[in-house]
Amino acid sequence: MFRPGDDGYAEEIAGFQTGFTQRPAIVFGAESADDVVAAVSYAADAGLPIGVQATGHGLPGASEGGVLISTRRMDSVRIDADARTVTVGAGVRWGQVVEAAAAHGLAPLNGSAPGVGAVSYTLGGGLGILAREFGYAADHVRWLDVVTADGTLRRVTARAEPELFWGLLGGGANLGVVTALEIGLVPVARLYGGAIEFDGREVDPADVLRAYEAWTRTVPRELTSSVAALVYPDIPQLPPHLRGRYLVTVRVAYTGSEAAGERLVAPLREIGPTVSDSLREMPYTDSHTIHSDPDFPHSYYGDSVVVRELDVAAACELLALTGPAAEQMHVVQINQLGGALAKPAGNAVPYRDAGWLVRVLSPFEAGDDAGLDAVRAVQARAFGLFAPEVEGRLLNFAFAAGDRPEGLYDAGTRKRLAGLKATYDPANLFRRNYNVG
């Protein structure tokens, strides 16, 4: 247990996201489900809001002045190779699961960054690098252990408590603290994938985007991909070949053969000269190299929209808005959805019929309110470009924008979640902790 001023307090509340500070009145460093029960019971008795933090990729603003439950110590991983499942504790990171599953020729439906918390990612849906073939991670959960606001530890399954099971998967951490879950693994030991990078000052980014969108119409569901664009800052922390460069990158993950993968990506290599091309056969344990997400804590603000169809002209405007002419740095990523993601499932993950996800993430200087306002203004303008096709937003990609609930769920899902909230957390202890990755 930590309070402000105690040794270890600052370390306990620190996370991957450094742009926003939190100041809980008390922090419980949970090592077990019993510790979580004690923390929730304490908060309920005191009438304090509860936030939960595993890795800190997203921060639970509801813990301000209240109780923060840190789950990073709950990091057990248990593989059942015969059943093709893994049981993960609330503090487990995906990199741990990838390594443990690989010993059995299996893989989880993890995201692009190995440092992300497996449980929080899954509660938000879990859009991974193999998503078009296998769907959302939430679709593969077998059971969850959750401590609800009354201090009860429950084993929740689709049979035992179907409504709560539905709401936890996609509803985030708004109904309780999940201490562990069991999730299915897939028989994937290797893949064909990587990234192909174009210099956005030598090859027109609009040409890359148009070619990419046309290419996605031809690929099978076994191939999951995205296109990203950003201007790298000219700083000594980066390799010389990246400093100040504007790169437009296509990322690919394909579970078919290397020969088939080479045939599928051939049109991408015809777009124009490349800066680098890492498309190759790789063990699944190297899959994090496809995106090579930064692994150091930093300050950022981001959001997303899901759209029915990709308006390519609007997407080209987005690249112009966020490219070299922009006053701040912005990271744009556009993911093709569809495939198994469109399959209805027994959970609250919304917008299954959307064809695309558009994301903008913007680093900013922590404490610079004017800079943050400028970032928000650019993002509002960026997402406004897609307004005619927008269905909503995805919870896991509301980076620090998770306190704004608009669009996170369709009307029917929102109403159903509200009913669950009234049943399991009538005092609203878990105050819309939408973003706790």
Side-chain angles (χ1 to χ4, degrees):
M1 185 182 297
F2 303 86
R3 297 182 184 276
D6 289 350
D7 290 342
Y9 176 87
E11 179 183 357
E12 203 67 29
I13 65 173
F16 189 82
Q17 164 66 273
T18 63
F20 300 87
T21 58
Q22 52 182 340
R23 193 74 175 171
I26 186 169
V27 182
F28 287 83
E31 297 182 359
S32 68
D34 288 343
D35 290 343
V36 174
V37 169
V40 171
S41 299
Y42 174 93
D45 290 344
L48 295 174
I50 300 171
V52 188
Q53 179 173 312
T55 68
H57 277 71
L59 296 181
S63 68
E64 193 74 18
V67 169
L68 177 67
I69 303 173
S70 170
T71 64
R72 60 188 176 89
R73 297 169 179 83
M74 301 170 66
D75 61 353
S76 65
V77 177
R78 299 193 306 275
I79 303 287
D80 185 332
D82 293 334
R84 291 182 180 174
T85 63
V86 59
T87 301
V88 297
V92 169
R93 300 169 186 251
W94 273 127
Q96 298 170 253
V97 186
V98 169
E99 290 292 336
H104 305 279
L106 301 170
L109 296 177
N110 57 289
S112 59
V116 167
V119 168
S120 47
Y121 161 99
T122 302
L123 297 181
L127 180 67
I129 60 174
L130 303 179
R132 280 175 37 83
E133 182 172 1
F134 297 106
Y136 288 98
D139 301 345
H140 297 260
V141 172
R142 310 295 179 84
W143 56 257
L144 310 95
D145 284 345
V146 58
V147 180
T148 46
D150 60 358
T152 300
L153 175 62
R154 306 168 186 265
R155 171 65 56 90
V156 179
T157 69
R159 290 175 62 89
E161 293 195 66
E163 192 67 4
L164 183 55
F165 183 85
W166 174 89
L168 287 169
L169 297 170
N174 204 25
L175 298 171
V177 184
V178 172
T179 61
L181 60 78
E182 182 182 82
I183 189 169
L185 301 170
V186 294
V188 174
R190 39 70 57 202
L191 54 75
Y192 175 86
I196 183 168
E197 296 180 318
F198 303 91
D199 189 320
R201 293 186 176 93
E202 296 179 2
V203 179
D204 188 341
D207 289 343
V208 178
L209 192 55
R210 292 188 193 98
Y212 169 72
E213 190 274 340
W215 174 75
T216 61
R217 297 173 184 269
T218 71
V219 300
R221 64 190 289 167
E222 292 79 15
L223 190 150
T224 301
S225 70
S226 64
V227 63
L230 72 151
V231 179
Y232 284 90
D234 187 3
I235 57 175
Q237 291 91 331
L238 290 175
H241 73 282
L242 292 180
R243 295 175 193 168
R245 206 158 196 174
Y246 180 38
L247 294 183
V248 183
T249 306
V250 179
R251 287 90 167 252
V252 172
Y254 172 59
T255 58
S257 69
E258 181 178 14
E262 286 286 306
R263 289 192 296 271
L264 283 169
V265 303
L268 298 177
R269 289 174 166 149
E270 295 174 358
I271 293 173
T274 63
V275 173
S276 68
D277 182 344
S278 65
L279 292 165
R280 66 199 187 281
E281 178 99 357
M282 67 175 74
Y284 195 78
T285 50
D286 285 351
S287 61
H288 64 279
T289 65
I290 295 173
H291 289 247
S292 295
D293 292 325
D295 59 0
F296 53 88
H298 57 286
S299 173
Y300 53 93
Y301 183 90
D303 211 341
S304 69
V305 290
V306 286
V307 296
R308 289 176 288 274
E309 299 290 340
L310 183 65
D311 182 332
V312 178
C316 291
E317 285 190 61
L318 171 63
L319 296 194
L321 176 67
T322 58
E327 293 185 2
Q328 307 105 339
M329 176 184 175
H330 304 280
V331 182
V332 172
Q333 182 165 310
I334 301 174
N335 294 66
Q336 184 189 18
L337 304 178
L341 294 167
K343 181 181 177 181
N347 56 50
V349 180
Y351 309 122
R352 296 277 179 162
D353 60 343
W356 295 85
L357 168 68
V358 180
R359 301 163 52 186
V360 181
L361 185 150
S362 308
F364 71 98
E365 190 71 31
D368 180 4
D369 291 341
L372 179 57
D373 288 343
V375 161
R376 286 175 168 145
V378 170
Q379 291 192 11
R381 184 178 168 194
F383 294 124
L385 297 169
F386 300 90
E389 291 292 330
V390 169
E391 293 195 352
R393 306 158 61 217
L394 287 190
L395 177 60
N396 274 358
F397 302 109
F399 296 115
D403 55 347
R404 183 170 65 85
E406 294 82 10
L408 290 175
Y409 301 100
D410 58 88
T413 300
R414 186 170 61 249
K415 181 178 180 180
R416 193 171 169 185
L417 286 171
L420 281 168
K421 184 71 170 174
T423 298
Y424 289 98
D425 185 18
N428 195 24
L429 295 181
F430 305 102
R431 297 185 182 172
R432 298 191 180 275
N433 300 318
Y434 281 124
N435 187 23
V436 291

